[in-house]
PDB file of all heavy atoms in Angstrom:
ATOM      1  N   VAL A 109     104.236  80.866  83.066  1.00 97.00           N
ATOM      2  CA  VAL A 109     102.916  80.890  82.423  1.00 97.00           C
ATOM      3  C   VAL A 109     102.755  80.075  81.153  1.00 97.00           C
ATOM      4  O   VAL A 109     101.630  79.732  80.791  1.00 97.00           O
ATOM      5  CB  VAL A 109     102.453  82.344  82.139  1.00 97.00           C
ATOM      6  CG1 VAL A 109     102.098  83.074  83.417  1.00 97.00           C
ATOM      7  CG2 VAL A 109     103.477  83.107  81.334  1.00 97.00           C
ATOM      8  N   CYS A 110     103.817  79.798  80.413  1.00 96.00           N
ATOM      9  CA  CYS A 110     103.625  79.113  79.130  1.00 96.00           C
ATOM     10  C   CYS A 110     104.924  78.535  78.584  1.00 96.00           C
ATOM     11  O   CYS A 110     106.012  78.908  79.012  1.00 96.00           O
ATOM     12  CB  CYS A 110     103.049  80.068  78.090  1.00 96.00           C
ATOM     13  SG  CYS A 110     104.211  81.310  77.492  1.00 96.00           S
ATOM     14  N   GLU A 111     104.766  77.659  77.591  1.00 96.00           N
ATOM     15  CA  GLU A 111     105.908  77.225  76.801  1.00 96.00           C
ATOM     16  C   GLU A 111     106.225  78.332  75.802  1.00 96.00           C
ATOM     17  O   GLU A 111     105.327  79.055  75.366  1.00 96.00           O
ATOM     18  CB  GLU A 111     105.577  75.958  76.012  1.00 96.00           C
ATOM     19  CG  GLU A 111     105.380  74.737  76.850  1.00 96.00           C
ATOM     20  CD  GLU A 111     105.008  73.531  75.999  1.00 96.00           C
ATOM     21  OE1 GLU A 111     104.829  73.659  74.766  1.00 96.00           O
ATOM     22  OE2 GLU A 111     104.886  72.452  76.582  1.00 96.00           O
ATOM     23  N   VAL A 112     107.482  78.461  75.429  1.00 95.00           N
ATOM     24  CA  VAL A 112     107.876  79.374  74.356  1.00 95.00           C
ATOM     25  C   VAL A 112     108.111  78.482  73.146  1.00 95.00           C
ATOM     26  O   VAL A 112     109.134  77.809  73.030  1.00 95.00           O
ATOM     27  CB  VAL A 112     109.141  80.176  74.728  1.00 95.00           C
ATOM     28  CG1 VAL A 112     109.592  81.025  73.551  1.00 95.00           C
ATOM     29  CG2 VAL A 112     108.873  81.053  75.940  1.00 95.00           C
ATOM     30  N   ALA A 113     107.090  78.416  72.270  1.00 91.00           N
ATOM     31  CA  ALA A 113     107.158  77.512  71.127  1.00 91.00           C
ATOM     32  C   ALA A 113     106.194  78.001  70.049  1.00 91.00           C
ATOM     33  O   ALA A 113     105.175  78.606  70.373  1.00 91.00           O
ATOM     34  CB  ALA A 113     106.790  76.099  71.568  1.00 91.00           C
ATOM     35  N   PRO A 114     106.507  77.796  68.772  1.00 85.00           N
ATOM     36  CA  PRO A 114     107.658  77.083  68.255  1.00 85.00           C
ATOM     37  C   PRO A 114     108.923  77.943  68.270  1.00 85.00           C
ATOM     38  O   PRO A 114     108.867  79.167  68.131  1.00 85.00           O
ATOM     39  CB  PRO A 114     107.259  76.743  66.817  1.00 85.00           C
ATOM     40  CG  PRO A 114     106.355  77.871  66.416  1.00 85.00           C
ATOM     41  CD  PRO A 114     105.601  78.239  67.688  1.00 85.00           C
ATOM     42  N   ALA A 115     110.055  77.286  68.433  1.00 87.00           N
ATOM     43  CA  ALA A 115     111.339  77.988  68.478  1.00 87.00           C
ATOM     44  C   ALA A 115     111.608  78.757  67.191  1.00 87.00           C
ATOM     45  O   ALA A 115     112.266  79.798  67.208  1.00 87.00           O
ATOM     46  CB  ALA A 115     112.468  77.001  68.750  1.00 87.00           C
ATOM     47  N   SER A 116     111.068  78.279  66.082  1.00 83.00           N
ATOM     48  CA  SER A 116     111.299  78.950  64.796  1.00 83.00           C
ATOM     49  C   SER A 116     110.687  80.343  64.742  1.00 83.00           C
ATOM     50  O   SER A 116     111.024  81.137  63.867  1.00 83.00           O
ATOM     51  CB  SER A 116     110.748  78.105  63.648  1.00 83.00           C
ATOM     52  OG  SER A 116     109.348  77.938  63.803  1.00 83.00           O
ATOM     53  N   ALA A 117     109.798  80.666  65.690  1.00 85.00           N
ATOM     54  CA  ALA A 117     109.142  81.979  65.685  1.00 85.00           C
ATOM     55  C   ALA A 117     109.769  82.963  66.670  1.00 85.00           C
ATOM     56  O   ALA A 117     109.289  84.080  66.812  1.00 85.00           O
ATOM     57  CB  ALA A 117     107.652  81.807  65.983  1.00 85.00           C
ATOM     58  N   VAL A 118     110.848  82.573  67.348  1.00 92.00           N
ATOM     59  CA  VAL A 118     111.549  83.485  68.258  1.00 92.00           C
ATOM     60  C   VAL A 118     112.386  84.448  67.414  1.00 92.00           C
ATOM     61  O   VAL A 118     113.159  84.016  66.561  1.00 92.00           O
ATOM     62  CB  VAL A 118     112.455  82.718  69.243  1.00 92.00           C
ATOM     63  CG1 VAL A 118     113.280  83.688  70.087  1.00 92.00           C
ATOM     64  CG2 VAL A 118     111.624  81.803  70.133  1.00 92.00           C
ATOM     65  N   VAL A 119     112.213  85.749  67.647  1.00 94.00           N
ATOM     66  CA  VAL A 119     112.920  86.768  66.864  1.00 94.00           C
ATOM     67  C   VAL A 119     113.450  87.853  67.801  1.00 94.00           C
ATOM     68  O   VAL A 119     112.752  88.292  68.700  1.00 94.00           O
ATOM     69  CB  VAL A 119     111.985  87.431  65.822  1.00 94.00           C
ATOM     70  CG1 VAL A 119     112.721  88.505  65.032  1.00 94.00           C
ATOM     71  CG2 VAL A 119     111.378  86.409  64.887  1.00 94.00           C
ATOM     72  N   LEU A 120     114.673  88.288  67.543  1.00 97.00           N
ATOM     73  CA  LEU A 120     115.254  89.442  68.225  1.00 97.00           C
ATOM     74  C   LEU A 120     115.771  90.372  67.143  1.00 97.00           C
ATOM     75  O   LEU A 120     116.524  89.958  66.264  1.00 97.00           O
ATOM     76  CB  LEU A 120     116.405  89.019  69.147  1.00 97.00           C
ATOM     77  CG  LEU A 120     117.122  90.159  69.876  1.00 97.00           C
ATOM     78  CD1 LEU A 120     116.173  90.900  70.811  1.00 97.00           C
ATOM     79  CD2 LEU A 120     118.312  89.606  70.648  1.00 97.00           C
ATOM     80  N   SER A 121     115.329  91.635  67.169  1.00 97.00           N
ATOM     81  CA  SER A 121     115.758  92.589  66.155  1.00 97.00           C
ATOM     82  C   SER A 121     116.194  93.897  66.806  1.00 97.00           C
ATOM     83  O   SER A 121     115.798  94.222  67.924  1.00 97.00           O
ATOM     84  CB  SER A 121     114.647  92.829  65.132  1.00 97.00           C
ATOM     85  OG  SER A 121     113.459  93.237  65.768  1.00 97.00           O
ATOM     86  N   ARG A 122     117.022  94.626  66.072  1.00 97.00           N
ATOM     87  CA  ARG A 122     117.574  95.910  66.544  1.00 97.00           C
ATOM     88  C   ARG A 122     117.043  97.021  65.646  1.00 97.00           C
ATOM     89  O   ARG A 122     117.027  96.891  64.421  1.00 97.00           O
ATOM     90  CB  ARG A 122     119.101  95.861  66.473  1.00 97.00           C
ATOM     91  CG  ARG A 122     119.768  97.145  66.929  1.00 97.00           C
ATOM     92  CD  ARG A 122     121.284  97.061  66.754  1.00 97.00           C
ATOM     93  NE  ARG A 122     121.903  98.323  67.055  1.00 97.00           N
ATOM     94  CZ  ARG A 122     122.740  98.541  68.058  1.00 97.00           C
ATOM     95  NH1 ARG A 122     123.102  97.542  68.839  1.00 97.00           N
ATOM     96  NH2 ARG A 122     123.247  99.726  68.274  1.00 97.00           N
TER      97      ARG A 122
END
Side-chain angles (χ1 to χ4, degrees):
V109 289
C110 72
E111 292 178 356
V112 175
S116 61
V118 174
V119 179
L120 178 62
S121 55
R122 180 183 174 115

